[in-house]
Coordinates of all heavy atoms in Angstrom, one line a residue:
M1014 N -1.7 10.9 2.1 CA -2.7 11.5 1.3 C -4.0 11.6 2.1 O -4.4 10.5 2.4 CB -2.8 10.8 0.0 CG -3.9 11.2 -0.9 SD -4.5 10.1 -2.1 CE -3.1 9.9 -3.2
L1015 N -4.5 12.6 2.4 CA -5.7 12.8 3.2 C -7.0 12.8 2.2 O -8.0 12.4 2.6 CB -5.7 14.0 4.0 CG -4.6 14.0 5.1 CD1 -4.6 15.3 5.9 CD2 -4.9 12.9 6.1
G1016 N -6.9 13.4 1.1 CA -8.0 13.3 0.2 C -8.9 14.4 0.5 O -8.8 15.3 1.4
R1017 N -10.0 14.6 -0.2 CA -11.0 15.6 -0.1 C -12.2 15.0 0.6 O -12.7 14.0 0.0 CB -11.3 16.3 -1.3 CG -10.2 17.0 -1.9 CD -10.6 17.6 -3.3 NE -11.2 16.7 -4.1 CZ -10.7 16.2 -5.3 NH1 -9.5 16.7 -5.6 NH2 -11.3 15.3 -5.9
C1018 N -12.8 15.6 1.5 CA -14.0 15.2 2.1 C -15.0 16.4 1.9 O -14.6 17.5 2.3 CB -14.0 14.9 3.7 SG -13.1 13.4 3.9
F1019 N -16.2 16.1 1.6 CA -17.2 17.1 1.5 C -18.0 17.1 2.9 O -18.2 16.1 3.4 CB -18.3 16.9 0.4 CG -17.6 16.7 -1.0 CD1 -17.5 15.6 -1.6 CD2 -17.0 17.9 -1.5 CE1 -16.9 15.6 -2.8 CE2 -16.4 17.8 -2.9 CZ -16.3 16.6 -3.5
C1020 N -18.3 18.2 3.4 CA -19.0 18.4 4.6 C -20.5 18.2 4.5 O -21.2 19.1 4.9 CB -18.5 19.6 5.4 SG -16.8 19.7 5.8
R1021 N -21.0 17.2 3.8 CA -22.3 17.0 3.7 C -22.7 15.6 4.4 O -22.4 14.6 3.9 CB -22.7 17.0 2.3 CG -22.7 18.2 1.5 CD -23.2 18.0 0.2 NE -22.5 16.9 -0.5 CZ -22.0 16.8 -1.7 NH1 -22.4 17.8 -2.5 NH2 -21.4 15.7 -2.2
P1022 N -23.2 15.6 5.6 CA -23.5 14.4 6.4 C -24.5 13.5 5.5 O -25.5 14.1 5.0 CB -24.0 14.8 7.6 CG -23.9 16.2 7.8 CD -23.5 16.8 6.4
Q1023 N -24.2 12.3 5.4 CA -25.2 11.3 4.8 C -25.2 10.2 5.9 O -24.4 9.4 6.0 CB -24.6 10.8 3.5 CG -24.6 11.9 2.4 CD -24.1 11.2 1.2 OE1 -23.6 10.2 1.1 NE2 -24.3 11.9 0.1
R1024 N -26.4 10.2 6.6 CA -26.6 9.2 7.5 C -25.4 9.2 8.6 O -24.7 8.1 8.8 CB -26.7 7.8 7.0 CG -27.9 7.7 6.1 CD -28.1 6.3 5.6 NE -29.2 6.3 4.6 CZ -29.4 5.3 3.8 NH1 -28.5 4.3 3.8 NH2 -30.3 5.3 2.9
N1025 N -25.1 10.3 9.1 CA -24.0 10.4 10.2 C -22.7 10.2 9.6 O -21.8 9.8 10.4 CB -24.4 9.6 11.4 CG -25.6 10.0 12.1 OD1 -26.0 11.2 12.0 ND2 -26.4 9.1 12.6
R1026 N -22.5 10.3 8.3 CA -21.1 10.0 7.7 C -20.8 11.3 6.9 O -21.6 12.0 6.5 CB -21.1 8.8 6.8 CG -21.4 7.5 7.5 CD -21.1 6.4 6.6 NE -21.3 5.1 7.3 CZ -21.2 4.1 6.7 NH1 -20.8 3.9 5.5 NH2 -21.4 2.8 7.4
V1027 N -19.5 11.4 6.6 CA -19.0 12.4 5.7 C -19.0 11.9 4.4 O -18.5 10.7 4.1 CB -17.6 12.9 6.2 CG1 -17.0 13.9 5.1 CG2 -17.6 13.5 7.5
S1028 N -19.4 12.6 3.3 CA -19.4 12.1 2.0 C -18.0 12.2 1.4 O -17.3 13.1 1.5 CB -20.3 13.0 1.1 OG -20.3 12.6 -0.2
L1029 N -17.5 11.1 0.9 CA -16.2 11.1 0.3 C -16.2 11.4 -1.2 O -17.2 11.1 -1.8 CB -15.7 9.7 0.4 CG -15.5 9.2 1.8 CD1 -15.0 7.6 1.9 CD2 -14.4 10.0 2.5
S1030 N -15.1 11.9 -1.7 CA -15.1 12.1 -3.1 C -15.1 10.8 -4.0 O -14.8 9.8 -3.3 CB -13.8 13.0 -3.4 OG -12.6 12.2 -3.2
P1031 N -15.4 10.8 -5.2 CA -15.4 9.6 -6.0 C -14.1 8.7 -5.9 O -14.2 7.5 -5.9 CB -15.7 10.1 -7.4 CG -16.3 11.4 -7.3 CD -15.8 12.0 -6.0
E1032 N -13.0 9.4 -5.9 CA -11.7 8.6 -5.9 C -11.4 8.0 -4.5 O -10.5 7.2 -4.4 CB -10.5 9.5 -6.4 CG -10.3 10.7 -5.7 CD -11.0 11.9 -6.2 OE1 -11.7 11.8 -7.3 OE2 -11.0 13.0 -5.6
E1033 N -12.2 8.4 -3.4 CA -12.0 7.8 -2.1 C -13.0 6.8 -1.8 O -12.9 6.0 -1.0 CB -12.1 8.9 -1.2 CG -10.9 10.0 -1.2 CD -11.2 11.1 -0.3 OE1 -12.3 11.5 -0.1 OE2 -10.1 11.6 0.2
R1034 N -14.1 6.7 -2.5 CA -15.1 5.7 -2.2 C -14.7 4.3 -2.3 O -13.9 3.9 -3.3 CB -16.4 5.9 -3.1 CG -17.2 7.2 -2.7 CD -18.6 7.2 -3.4 NE -19.0 8.5 -3.2 CZ -19.1 9.3 -4.2 NH1 -18.8 9.0 -5.4 NH2 -19.6 10.5 -4.1
W1035 N -15.1 3.4 -1.4 CA -14.6 2.1 -1.4 C -15.1 1.3 -2.7 O -16.3 1.4 -3.0 CB -15.0 1.4 -0.1 CG -14.4 0.1 0.1 CD1 -15.1 -1.2 -0.1 CD2 -13.0 -0.2 0.4 NE1 -14.1 -2.2 0.1 CE2 -12.9 -1.5 0.4 CE3 -12.0 0.7 0.5 CZ2 -11.6 -2.1 0.6 CZ3 -10.8 0.1 0.8 CH2 -10.5 -1.3 0.8
N1036 N -14.2 0.6 -3.2 CA -14.6 -0.3 -4.4 C -13.9 -1.7 -4.1 O -12.7 -1.8 -4.4 CB -14.0 0.4 -5.6 CG -14.4 -0.4 -6.9 OD1 -14.5 -1.6 -6.9 ND2 -14.4 0.3 -8.0
E1037 N -14.7 -2.6 -3.6 CA -14.1 -3.9 -3.2 C -13.4 -4.6 -4.3 O -12.3 -5.1 -4.2 CB -15.2 -4.8 -2.7 CG -14.7 -6.1 -2.0 CD -14.0 -5.9 -0.7 OE1 -14.3 -4.7 -0.1 OE2 -13.2 -6.7 -0.3
P1038 N -13.9 -4.7 -5.6 CA -13.2 -5.3 -6.7 C -11.8 -4.6 -7.0 O -10.9 -5.3 -7.2 CB -14.1 -5.3 -7.9 CG -15.5 -5.2 -7.3 CD -15.3 -4.3 -5.9
E1039 N -11.8 -3.3 -7.0 CA -10.6 -2.7 -7.1 C -9.6 -2.9 -6.1 O -8.4 -3.0 -6.3 CB -10.8 -1.1 -7.2 CG -9.6 -0.3 -7.5 CD -9.8 1.2 -7.5 OE1 -11.0 1.6 -7.3 OE2 -8.7 1.8 -7.8
A1040 N -10.1 -2.9 -4.9 CA -9.2 -3.2 -3.6 C -8.5 -4.5 -3.8 O -7.4 -4.7 -3.5 CB -10.0 -3.1 -2.4
I1041 N -9.3 -5.5 -4.2 CA -8.8 -6.9 -4.4 C -7.8 -6.9 -5.5 O -6.7 -7.5 -5.3 CB -10.0 -7.8 -4.6 CG1 -10.8 -8.0 -3.5 CG2 -9.4 -9.2 -5.1 CD1 -12.1 -8.7 -3.7
L1042 N -8.0 -6.3 -6.5 CA -7.0 -6.2 -7.7 C -5.8 -5.5 -7.2 O -4.7 -6.0 -7.5 CB -7.7 -5.5 -8.8 CG -6.8 -5.5 -10.1 CD1 -6.6 -6.9 -10.6 CD2 -7.6 -4.7 -11.2
L1043 N -5.9 -4.4 -6.5 CA -4.6 -3.7 -6.1 C -3.9 -4.5 -5.1 O -2.7 -4.5 -5.2 CB -5.2 -2.3 -5.4 CG -5.8 -1.3 -6.3 CD1 -6.3 -0.1 -5.4 CD2 -4.6 -0.6 -7.2
L1044 N -4.6 -5.2 -4.3 CA -3.9 -6.0 -3.2 C -3.1 -7.1 -4.0 O -1.9 -7.5 -3.7 CB -4.8 -6.6 -2.2 CG -4.2 -7.4 -1.1 CD1 -3.1 -6.7 -0.2 CD2 -5.3 -8.0 -0.2
Q1045 N -3.8 -7.7 -4.9 CA -3.1 -8.9 -5.7 C -1.9 -8.4 -6.5 O -0.8 -9.0 -6.4 CB -4.1 -9.5 -6.6 CG -5.2 -10.3 -6.0 CD -6.3 -10.8 -7.0 OE1 -6.5 -10.2 -8.0 NE2 -7.0 -11.8 -6.5
R1046 N -2.1 -7.3 -7.1 CA -0.8 -6.7 -7.8 C 0.3 -6.4 -7.0 O 1.4 -6.7 -7.2 CB -1.3 -5.5 -8.6 CG -2.2 -5.8 -9.9 CD -2.6 -4.6 -10.6 NE -3.5 -4.9 -11.8 CZ -4.1 -3.9 -12.4 NH1 -4.1 -2.7 -12.0 NH2 -4.8 -4.4 -13.4
A1047 N 0.0 -5.8 -5.8 CA 1.1 -5.3 -4.9 C 1.7 -6.6 -4.3 O 2.9 -6.6 -4.2 CB 0.5 -4.5 -3.8
G1048 N 0.8 -7.6 -4.1 CA 1.4 -8.8 -3.5 C 2.4 -9.5 -4.5 O 3.4 -10.0 -4.1
K1049 N 2.0 -9.6 -5.8 CA 2.9 -10.1 -6.8 C 4.3 -9.3 -6.9 O 5.3 -9.9 -7.1 CB 2.2 -10.2 -8.2 CG 1.2 -11.2 -8.2 CD 0.5 -11.2 -9.5 CE -0.6 -12.3 -9.6 NZ -1.2 -12.3 -11.0
L1050 N 4.1 -7.9 -6.8 CA 5.3 -7.2 -6.9 C 6.3 -7.4 -5.7 O 7.5 -7.6 -5.9 CB 5.0 -5.7 -7.0 CG 4.4 -5.2 -8.3 CD1 3.9 -3.8 -8.2 CD2 5.5 -5.2 -9.4
V1051 N 5.7 -7.5 -4.5 CA 6.4 -7.6 -3.3 C 7.0 -9.1 -3.3 O 8.2 -9.2 -2.9 CB 5.6 -7.4 -2.1 CG1 6.4 -7.8 -0.7 CG2 5.3 -6.0 -2.0
E1052 N 6.2 -10.0 -3.7 CA 6.8 -11.4 -3.7 C 7.9 -11.5 -4.7 O 8.9 -12.2 -4.3 CB 5.6 -12.3 -4.2 CG 6.0 -13.8 -4.3 CD 4.8 -14.6 -4.8 OE1 4.1 -14.2 -5.6 OE2 4.9 -15.9 -4.5
G1053 N 7.8 -10.9 -5.8 CA 9.0 -10.9 -6.8 C 10.2 -10.3 -6.2 O 11.4 -10.8 -6.4
L1054 N 10.1 -9.2 -5.6 CA 11.2 -8.5 -4.9 C 11.8 -9.4 -3.7 O 13.0 -9.4 -3.7 CB 10.9 -7.1 -4.4 CG 10.5 -6.1 -5.6 CD1 9.7 -4.9 -4.9 CD2 11.7 -5.7 -6.3
E1055 N 11.0 -9.9 -2.9 CA 11.5 -10.7 -1.8 C 11.9 -12.1 -2.2 O 12.8 -12.7 -1.5 CB 10.3 -10.8 -0.8 CG 10.0 -9.6 -0.1 CD 9.0 -9.7 1.0 OE1 8.2 -10.7 1.1 OE2 9.0 -8.7 1.9
A1056 N 11.7 -12.5 -3.4 CA 12.3 -13.8 -3.9 C 13.9 -13.7 -4.1 O 14.5 -14.6 -4.0 CB 11.6 -14.1 -5.3
S1057 N 14.3 -12.5 -4.1 CA 15.8 -12.2 -4.2 C 16.4 -12.5 -2.8 O 17.6 -12.4 -2.8 CB 16.0 -10.8 -4.8 OG 15.7 -9.8 -3.9
G1058 N 15.5 -12.6 -1.8 CA 16.2 -12.6 -0.5 C 16.1 -11.3 0.4 O 16.3 -11.3 1.5
A1059 N 15.7 -10.2 -0.3 CA 15.6 -9.0 0.3 C 14.3 -8.9 1.0 O 13.3 -9.0 0.3 CB 15.8 -7.9 -0.7
R1060 N 14.3 -8.5 2.3 CA 13.0 -8.4 3.0 C 13.0 -7.0 3.7 O 14.0 -6.6 4.2 CB 12.7 -9.5 4.0 CG 12.5 -10.8 3.3 CD 12.2 -11.9 4.2 NE 11.1 -11.6 5.1 CZ 9.8 -11.9 4.9 NH1 9.4 -12.3 3.7 NH2 8.9 -11.6 5.7
M1061 N 11.9 -6.4 3.7 CA 11.7 -5.2 4.6 C 11.9 -5.5 6.1 O 11.7 -6.6 6.5 CB 10.3 -4.6 4.4 CG 10.0 -4.1 3.1 SD 8.2 -3.5 2.8 CE 7.6 -3.3 4.3
L1062 N 12.3 -4.4 6.7 CA 12.5 -4.6 8.2 C 11.1 -4.9 8.9 O 10.0 -4.4 8.3 CB 13.0 -3.4 8.9 CG 14.4 -2.9 8.4 CD1 14.8 -1.7 9.1 CD2 15.4 -4.1 8.8
Q1063 N 11.0 -5.7 9.9 CA 9.7 -6.1 10.4 C 9.0 -4.9 10.9 O 7.8 -4.7 10.7 CB 9.9 -7.0 11.6 CG 8.7 -7.6 12.3 CD 7.8 -8.4 11.2 OE1 8.5 -9.1 10.3 NE2 6.5 -8.5 11.4
G1064 N 9.6 -3.8 11.5 CA 8.9 -2.8 12.0 C 8.3 -1.9 10.8 O 7.1 -1.4 10.8
D1065 N 9.0 -1.8 9.6 CA 8.5 -1.1 8.4 C 7.2 -2.0 8.0 O 6.3 -1.4 7.5 CB 9.5 -1.0 7.4 CG 10.6 -0.1 7.8 OD1 10.4 0.7 8.7 OD2 11.7 -0.2 7.2
R1066 N 7.4 -3.3 8.0 CA 6.3 -4.0 7.5 C 5.1 -3.9 8.3 O 3.9 -3.8 7.8 CB 6.7 -5.5 7.4 CG 5.7 -6.6 6.9 CD 6.3 -8.0 7.0 NE 7.6 -8.1 6.2 CZ 7.6 -8.3 5.0 NH1 6.5 -8.6 4.2 NH2 8.7 -8.5 4.3
E1067 N 5.2 -3.8 9.6 CA 4.1 -3.8 10.5 C 3.4 -2.4 10.3 O 2.2 -2.2 10.4 CB 4.5 -3.9 11.9 CG 4.8 -5.3 12.3 CD 5.7 -5.5 13.6 OE1 5.7 -4.5 14.3 OE2 5.8 -6.7 13.9
V1068 N 4.2 -1.3 10.1 CA 3.6 0.1 9.8 C 2.7 0.0 8.4 O 1.7 0.5 8.4 CB 4.7 1.1 9.7 CG1 4.2 2.4 9.1 CG2 5.3 1.3 11.0
C1069 N 3.2 -0.6 7.4 CA 2.5 -0.8 6.2 C 1.3 -1.6 6.4 O 0.1 -1.1 5.9 CB 3.4 -1.5 5.2 SG 4.8 -0.5 4.6
H1070 N 1.4 -2.7 7.1 CA 0.1 -3.4 7.4 C -1.0 -2.6 8.3 O -2.2 -2.7 7.9 CB 0.4 -4.7 8.1 CG 1.1 -5.7 7.2 ND1 1.7 -6.9 7.7 CD2 1.3 -5.8 5.8 CE1 2.2 -7.5 6.6 NE2 2.0 -6.8 5.5
A1071 N -0.5 -1.8 9.2 CA -1.4 -1.0 9.9 C -2.1 0.0 9.1 O -3.3 0.3 9.3 CB -0.7 -0.3 11.1
R1072 N -1.3 0.6 8.2 CA -1.8 1.5 7.3 C -2.9 0.9 6.4 O -4.0 1.5 6.1 CB -0.9 2.3 6.5 CG 0.0 3.3 7.2 CD 1.1 3.9 6.3 NE 0.4 4.7 5.3 CZ 0.9 5.0 4.1 NH1 2.1 4.5 3.7 NH2 0.3 5.6 3.3
L1073 N -2.7 -0.2 5.9 CA -3.6 -1.0 5.0 C -4.9 -1.3 5.8 O -6.0 -1.1 5.3 CB -3.0 -2.4 4.6 CG -2.3 -2.3 3.3 CD1 -1.6 -3.7 3.0 CD2 -3.3 -2.0 2.2
V1074 N -4.7 -1.8 7.0 CA -6.0 -2.1 7.9 C -6.7 -0.9 8.1 O -8.0 -1.0 8.0 CB -5.6 -2.9 9.1 CG1 -6.7 -2.9 10.2 CG2 -4.9 -4.2 8.8
A1075 N -6.1 0.1 8.5 CA -6.8 1.5 8.8 C -7.6 1.9 7.6 O -8.7 2.4 7.7 CB -5.9 2.5 9.3
A1076 N -6.9 1.8 6.5 CA -7.6 2.4 5.2 C -8.7 1.5 4.8 O -9.8 1.8 4.3 CB -6.5 2.3 4.0
H1077 N -8.6 0.1 5.1 CA -9.7 -0.8 4.7 C -10.8 -0.6 5.7 O -11.9 -0.6 5.3 CB -9.1 -2.2 4.8 CG -10.2 -3.3 4.5 ND1 -11.0 -3.8 5.5 CD2 -10.5 -3.9 3.3 CE1 -11.8 -4.6 4.9 NE2 -11.6 -4.8 3.5
D1078 N -10.5 -0.5 6.9 CA -11.6 -0.2 7.9 C -12.3 1.1 7.7 O -13.5 1.2 7.9 CB -10.9 -0.1 9.4 CG -10.5 -1.5 9.8 OD1 -10.9 -2.6 9.1 OD2 -9.9 -1.6 10.9
A1079 N -11.6 2.2 7.2 CA -12.3 3.4 6.8 C -12.9 3.3 5.5 O -13.6 4.3 5.2 CB -11.2 4.5 6.8
R1080 N -12.8 2.2 4.8 CA -13.3 2.1 3.5 C -13.1 3.2 2.5 O -13.8 3.8 1.8 CB -14.8 1.8 3.6 CG -15.1 0.5 4.4 CD -16.5 0.1 4.5 NE -17.0 -0.3 3.2 CZ -16.9 -1.4 2.6 NH1 -15.9 -2.3 3.0 NH2 -17.4 -1.8 1.4
N1081 N -11.7 3.6 2.5 CA -11.3 4.7 1.7 C -10.2 4.1 0.7 O -9.1 3.8 1.1 CB -10.6 5.7 2.6 CG -10.1 7.0 2.0 OD1 -9.6 6.9 0.8 ND2 -10.2 8.1 2.6
I1082 N -10.7 4.1 -0.5 CA -9.8 3.4 -1.6 C -8.6 4.2 -1.8 O -7.5 3.7 -2.1 CB -10.7 3.1 -2.9 CG1 -9.9 2.1 -3.7 CG2 -11.0 4.4 -3.6 CD1 -10.0 0.7 -3.1
A1083 N -8.7 5.5 -1.8 CA -7.5 6.4 -2.0 C -6.4 6.1 -1.0 O -5.2 5.9 -1.3 CB -7.8 7.9 -2.1
A1084 N -6.8 6.1 0.3 CA -5.8 5.8 1.4 C -5.3 4.3 1.3 O -4.2 4.0 1.5 CB -6.5 5.9 2.8
Y1085 N -6.2 3.4 0.8 CA -5.8 2.0 0.6 C -4.8 1.9 -0.5 O -3.7 1.2 -0.3 CB -7.0 1.2 0.3 CG -6.8 -0.4 0.3 CD1 -6.8 -1.1 1.6 CD2 -6.8 -1.1 -0.8 CE1 -6.7 -2.4 1.6 CE2 -6.7 -2.4 -0.9 CZ -6.5 -3.1 0.5 OH -6.4 -4.5 0.5
R1086 N -5.0 2.6 -1.5 CA -4.0 2.7 -2.7 C -2.7 3.2 -2.2 O -1.6 2.6 -2.5 CB -4.5 3.4 -3.8 CG -3.8 3.4 -5.1 CD -4.5 4.2 -6.2 NE -5.9 3.9 -6.6 CZ -7.0 4.4 -6.3 NH1 -6.9 5.6 -5.8 NH2 -8.1 4.0 -6.7
A1087 N -2.6 4.3 -1.5 CA -1.5 4.9 -0.9 C -0.7 3.9 -0.1 O 0.5 3.9 -0.1 CB -1.8 6.2 -0.2
A1088 N -1.5 3.2 0.8 CA -0.9 2.3 1.7 C -0.1 1.2 0.9 O 0.9 0.7 1.2 CB -1.9 1.7 2.8
L1089 N -0.8 0.7 -0.2 CA -0.1 -0.4 -1.0 C 1.1 0.2 -1.7 O 2.0 -0.5 -1.8 CB -1.2 -0.9 -1.9 CG -2.3 -1.9 -1.4 CD1 -3.3 -2.3 -2.3 CD2 -1.6 -3.2 -0.9
E1090 N 1.0 1.3 -2.1 CA 2.1 2.0 -2.9 C 3.3 2.1 -1.8 O 4.4 1.9 -2.2 CB 1.8 3.3 -3.3 CG 0.9 3.3 -4.6 CD 0.4 4.6 -5.1 OE1 0.7 5.7 -4.5 OE2 -0.5 4.6 -6.0
G1091 N 3.0 2.4 -0.6 CA 4.0 2.5 0.4 C 4.6 1.1 0.7 O 5.8 1.0 1.0
Y1092 N 3.8 0.1 0.8 CA 4.3 -1.3 1.0 C 5.2 -1.8 -0.1 O 6.3 -2.3 0.0 CB 3.0 -2.2 1.0 CG 3.3 -3.5 1.5 CD1 4.2 -3.9 2.6 CD2 2.8 -4.7 0.7 CE1 4.4 -5.2 2.9 CE2 3.1 -6.0 1.1 CZ 3.9 -6.2 2.2 OH 4.1 -7.5 2.6
V1093 N 4.8 -1.5 -1.4 CA 5.6 -1.9 -2.6 C 6.9 -1.0 -2.5 O 8.0 -1.5 -2.9 CB 4.8 -1.7 -3.9 CG1 5.8 -1.9 -5.0 CG2 3.7 -2.7 -4.0
G1094 N 6.8 0.2 -2.2 CA 8.0 1.1 -2.1 C 9.1 0.6 -1.1 O 10.2 0.7 -1.3
G1095 N 8.4 0.2 0.0 CA 9.3 -0.4 1.1 C 10.0 -1.6 0.6 O 11.2 -1.9 0.9
A1096 N 9.3 -2.4 -0.1 CA 10.0 -3.8 -0.7 C 11.0 -3.4 -1.7 O 12.1 -4.0 -1.7 CB 8.9 -4.6 -1.2
R1097 N 10.7 -2.3 -2.4 CA 11.8 -2.0 -3.5 C 13.0 -1.4 -2.8 O 14.2 -1.6 -3.2 CB 11.1 -0.9 -4.4 CG 10.2 -1.4 -5.5 CD 9.7 -0.4 -6.5 NE 9.0 -1.0 -7.5 CZ 7.8 -0.6 -7.8 NH1 7.2 0.5 -7.3 NH2 7.2 -1.2 -8.7
E1098 N 12.7 -0.6 -1.8 CA 13.9 -0.1 -1.1 C 14.7 -1.1 -0.4 O 16.0 -1.0 -0.4 CB 13.4 1.0 0.0 CG 14.5 1.7 0.7 CD 15.4 2.4 -0.3 OE1 15.0 3.0 -1.3 OE2 16.7 2.6 0.1
A1099 N 14.2 -2.1 0.2 CA 14.9 -3.2 0.7 C 15.7 -3.9 -0.3 O 16.8 -4.4 -0.1 CB 13.9 -4.2 1.4
Y1100 N 15.0 -4.1 -1.5 CA 15.7 -4.8 -2.6 C 16.9 -4.0 -3.0 O 18.0 -4.6 -3.3 CB 14.8 -4.9 -3.8 CG 15.4 -5.5 -5.1 CD1 15.7 -6.8 -5.2 CD2 15.8 -4.7 -6.1 CE1 16.3 -7.4 -6.3 CE2 16.3 -5.1 -7.2 CZ 16.7 -6.5 -7.3 OH 17.2 -7.0 -8.5
R1101 N 16.7 -2.7 -3.2 CA 17.9 -1.8 -3.6 C 19.0 -1.9 -2.6 O 20.2 -2.0 -2.9 CB 17.4 -0.4 -3.7 CG 16.6 -0.2 -4.9 CD 16.3 1.4 -5.1 NE 15.2 1.5 -6.0 CZ 14.0 2.0 -5.6 NH1 13.7 2.4 -4.4 NH2 13.0 2.0 -6.6
K1102 N 18.7 -1.9 -1.3 CA 19.7 -1.9 -0.3 C 20.5 -3.2 -0.3 O 21.7 -3.3 -0.1 CB 19.1 -1.7 1.2 CG 18.7 -0.4 1.4 CD 18.2 -0.2 2.8 CE 17.8 1.2 3.2 NZ 17.1 1.3 4.5
A1103 N 19.7 -4.2 -0.5 CA 20.4 -5.6 -0.5 C 21.2 -5.8 -1.9 O 22.4 -6.3 -1.8 CB 19.3 -6.8 -0.6
K1104 N 20.8 -5.2 -2.9 CA 21.6 -5.2 -4.2 C 22.8 -4.4 -4.1 O 23.9 -4.8 -4.5 CB 20.7 -4.6 -5.3 CG 21.4 -4.9 -6.7 CD 20.4 -4.4 -7.7 CE 20.9 -4.5 -9.1 NZ 20.0 -4.0 -10.1
R1105 N 22.7 -3.2 -3.4 CA 24.0 -2.4 -3.1 C 24.9 -3.2 -2.3 O 26.2 -3.2 -2.5 CB 23.6 -1.1 -2.5 CG 23.1 -0.1 -3.5 CD 23.1 1.4 -2.9 NE 22.2 1.4 -1.7 CZ 20.9 1.9 -1.7 NH1 20.3 2.3 -2.7 NH2 20.3 1.8 -0.5
G1106 N 24.5 -3.9 -1.3 CA 25.3 -4.7 -0.4 C 26.1 -5.7 -1.1 O 27.2 -6.0 -0.9
R1107 N 25.3 -6.4 -2.0 CA 25.9 -7.5 -2.8 C 27.0 -6.9 -3.8 O 28.1 -7.6 -3.9 CB 24.8 -8.2 -3.7 CG 24.1 -9.2 -3.0 CD 23.3 -10.2 -3.8 NE 22.4 -9.4 -4.7 CZ 21.1 -9.1 -4.5 NH1 20.5 -9.7 -3.3 NH2 20.3 -8.5 -5.3
I1108 N 26.7 -5.8 -4.5 CA 27.7 -5.2 -5.3 C 29.0 -4.8 -4.6 O 30.1 -5.0 -5.1 CB 27.1 -4.0 -6.0 CG1 26.0 -4.4 -7.0 CG2 28.2 -3.1 -6.7 CD1 25.2 -3.3 -7.6
K1109 N 28.7 -4.2 -3.3 CA 30.0 -3.8 -2.6 C 30.8 -5.1 -2.2 O 32.0 -5.0 -2.2 CB 29.5 -3.1 -1.2 CG 29.1 -1.7 -1.5 CD 28.8 -1.0 -0.3 CE 28.2 0.3 -0.5 NZ 27.8 1.1 0.8
R1110 N 30.1 -6.2 -1.7 CA 30.9 -7.4 -1.3 C 31.5 -8.0 -2.5 O 32.7 -8.5 -2.5 CB 29.9 -8.4 -0.8 CG 29.5 -8.1 0.6 CD 28.8 -9.3 1.3 NE 27.7 -9.7 0.5 CZ 26.4 -9.4 0.7 NH1 26.2 -8.4 1.7 NH2 25.3 -9.8 0.0
E1111 N 30.9 -7.9 -3.8 CA 31.5 -8.5 -5.0 C 32.8 -7.7 -5.4 O 33.7 -8.2 -6.0 CB 30.6 -8.6 -6.1 CG 29.5 -9.7 -5.8 CD 28.4 -9.6 -6.8 OE1 28.5 -8.9 -7.8 OE2 27.4 -10.4 -6.7
G1112 N 32.7 -6.4 -5.2 CA 33.8 -5.4 -5.6 C 34.9 -5.5 -4.6 O 36.0 -5.1 -5.0
S1113 N 34.8 -5.9 -3.4 CA 35.8 -6.0 -2.4 C 36.8 -7.1 -2.7 O 36.7 -8.1 -3.1 CB 35.3 -6.2 -1.0 OG 34.6 -5.1 -0.7

């Protein structure tokens, strides 16, 4: 999700749309919620592959450094999505083993 940028420089910066502007309290809340979701999914023993986890973290850091809340939100959604997918794969593996 690239978002919309307006081409009006403000102090050598590009003006971001309201949904992209950085909001530290919202960022903290989003990170806490995503952390709880991932923690719950990983409590089952299912973990994302290390490479996938590193990509998610890199996206989070890049969005934070860019101070773009829309990109940060998308990175967190990707992180939670990756944890959900790892959980589903682990669950399918358990069902197959139990059925054999």
Side-chain angles (χ1 to χ4, degrees):
M1014 177 197 297
L1015 295 176
R1017 296 179 306 250
C1018 288
F1019 301 111
C1020 295
R1021 293 183 308 217
Q1023 293 180 345
R1024 296 185 190 164
N1025 298 327
R1026 291 187 182 183
V1027 176
S1028 177
L1029 298 175
S1030 66
E1032 57 272 354
E1033 293 174 325
R1034 286 194 194 108
W1035 189 251
N1036 180 333
E1037 190 71 24
E1039 180 183 1
I1041 292 168
L1042 184 62
L1043 291 169
L1044 183 61
Q1045 289 172 337
R1046 287 179 180 167
K1049 286 181 184 179
L1050 287 169
V1051 171
E1052 181 182 28
L1054 292 166
E1055 289 185 343
S1057 70
R1060 291 186 53 89
M1061 290 176 19
L1062 296 175
Q1063 185 62 30
D1065 293 342
R1066 183 180 301 275
E1067 289 172 4
V1068 168
C1069 289
H1070 286 167
R1072 288 181 63 209
L1073 266 174
V1074 169
H1077 183 272
D1078 290 348
R1080 301 188 61 77
N1081 183 325
I1082 197 70
Y1085 192 75
R1086 190 180 296 113
L1089 285 170
E1090 288 171 2
Y1092 187 49
V1093 171
R1097 283 187 176 128
E1098 184 59 30
Y1100 174 79
R1101 286 185 199 114
K1102 285 181 181 179
K1104 189 174 178 180
R1105 283 193 299 260
R1107 282 193 301 264
I1108 291 171
K1109 285 181 183 178
R1110 283 192 304 268
E1111 290 172 2
S1113 297

